[in-house]
Amino acid sequence: MSLIDTSFVPADIDATDWSQIQPLLEELKLREVSTAQEFEEWIRHRSELDAACSEARARLYITMSCNTDSTAANAAFTRYVETIPPRLKPVEFELDRRHVSFTARFQLDENRYRVLNRSRRASVELFRDENVPIQTDLSKLSQEFDRIAGAQTVQFEGREQTLPQMARYLESPDRPIRESAWRAVATRRIQDRDALSGLYERMIQLRHKMAKNAGFENYIGYVFREKERFDYTPRDCEAYWDAVEKHVVPLVRRLDERRRGDLGVRVLRPWDLAVDSKGRPALRPFEGGRELLNKTIGVFERLDPRLGSMVKDLADESGTKNPDGSMRSECLDLDTRKGKRPGGYQYMRDRVRKPFIFMNAAGLQRDVMTMLHEAGHAFHSTLCAVDPLVEYRHSPTEFAEVASMSMEHLTMPHWGGEGSNAASNGFYHSPEDLSRARRVHLEDCITILAWIATIDKFQHWVYANPGHTRSERDAYWLSLDTAFGRGISWAPGADGASGEGLAEFRAAAWQRQPHLFSHPMYYIEYGIAQLGSLQLWLKSITEGPKAAVDAYIRALTLGGSKPLPDLFAAAGVRFDFGEATVKRVVENVSQELERLD
Ligand SMILES: [Zn+2]
């Protein structure tokens, strides 16, 4: 059954072509609307056009990321980004304004339209003409950040390597190799320290000015409105930081102390965190994208047949082919190969209403986690696909990441495979590998909570004190690292691995988090979602997996049509990221880690 809506937008529109979108936008701008019913139709038609535009961008992006060495694919995406969004944005704003004025005249079903209306109102309230050029300046500064960060490479083992490529040396059991790799990266970063500090300061000043123009005391208030954080305040973030310091940090430090003992070193250094603490070789859970897919289907079928069948639907390979023969379907491109951009994502094509999962599977445990995570996003896209409004077919990050992260946790009991086919339907066949994989995952879940608190608290301070000096900022960062950081030593010492020069690297460590530059004040979302998804995992333990998956499906089906507290409630978990939740989650993860020993 096709879900493509053609009541307003022609089926064969090319939405990368401004001359085809423009008349439709114009019609929406001028159309006479004189009843509530006509207002509703106007909303649906705008949504249809938004979906077509969004899908045009998605398709160009997907094609480019699967073929980064194709000049045509790159040029098509660049042409789109340069020509369509700059023209679309001002019209979208005018349509938002029309929408808000209609809400004063026509009464729509509050339950259905509350979330959409408040989002349109926020857009109108925030808009200032004088902020448009500031936003352009800010995106140019972001590009400058990308340029500086993208040019960071090091010479290592006789060849030039990017910083992401250097990550694998930190998994080497050979400590001197880890140290020299870590130092090579840190030394390269320090070369750009002043340039990046200067860039960040210009960004802070522009963001502060934009907030002032819009009538806010500082950028924090502005960004809470811009990101439509209607359901929580900076006070809730403070409660999160405090709870993490009290309950998460002690567990992280205990885990680090245990790691130190396992590695048999006098002090733990920053290059000792990624290696397997027992010196074992990397886990090899699968070989190739097709095997990854088949094992993923097996895992989800054992968790719940409804989830298994949604993954199967993504796997239909008819009519698609990769040039190198690797697995490809209309909805999946999983194997790593030359000419693919790094990383992984799930991208919903809003008009045909089909998700696409992209990743660079190379047979590692983290690829399994990426696959389970992106599958969760695809379930979300699929379950709410019938909603006629594209706005409601996406939910805020705080909940969208609950959909994906939950699948990492809820599938844990099924990673090992089952029955005589365990080798073909599971990722880890020895009990040792299985508990090792679970352990790594749960430890990652906990340590990320502390890093999120560090980044979030840092940003709140930065924007609450926009006049700070460079040395004040570094000092504040160090105080946060002392409160939230890992159980490692940055001091010089006679432990065989010298700590010389580490203090400078430590003070500049905030610069490795790109969000601070290009996605300001964005990060707490992951903490909120992680706590939500871990609550759902606890639910699956106490009430059984079926109850948890029922609630999961119920909540995902709502898409973005309800406020965050309602979405969390539908999933049977609390929208709370303060002490009560943090404490309960951490205690349970800690017990599970003990059980895995
Ligand atoms: Zn995600």
Side-chain angles (χ1 to χ4, degrees), residues 384-401:
C384 64
V386 291
D387 197 298
L389 295 186
V390 68
E391 293 84 356
Y392 288 171
R393 302 202 293 268
H394 295 270
S395 86
T397 313
E398 292 90 340
F399 189 72
E401 292 295 322

Side-chain angles (χ1 to χ4, degrees), residues 102-151:
F102 289 150
T103 58
R105 285 165 53 203
F106 311 114
Q107 188 64 43
L108 297 185
D109 176 6
E110 174 69 7
N111 192 33
R112 170 71 180 153
Y113 288 102
R114 178 167 51 131
V115 170
L116 181 66
N117 286 344
R118 72 177 184 177
S119 157
R120 299 292 189 237
R121 265 198 302 276
S123 145
V124 171
E125 278 166 19
L126 219 51
F127 186 84
R128 294 291 182 284
D129 273 327
E130 61 268 36
N131 281 346
V132 175
I134 300 182
Q135 263 151 350
T136 310
D137 288 347
L138 277 166
S139 49
K140 282 185 193 148
L141 291 175
S142 278
Q143 278 174 355
E144 198 175 325
F145 171 78
D146 289 343
R147 246 196 323 275
I148 295 173

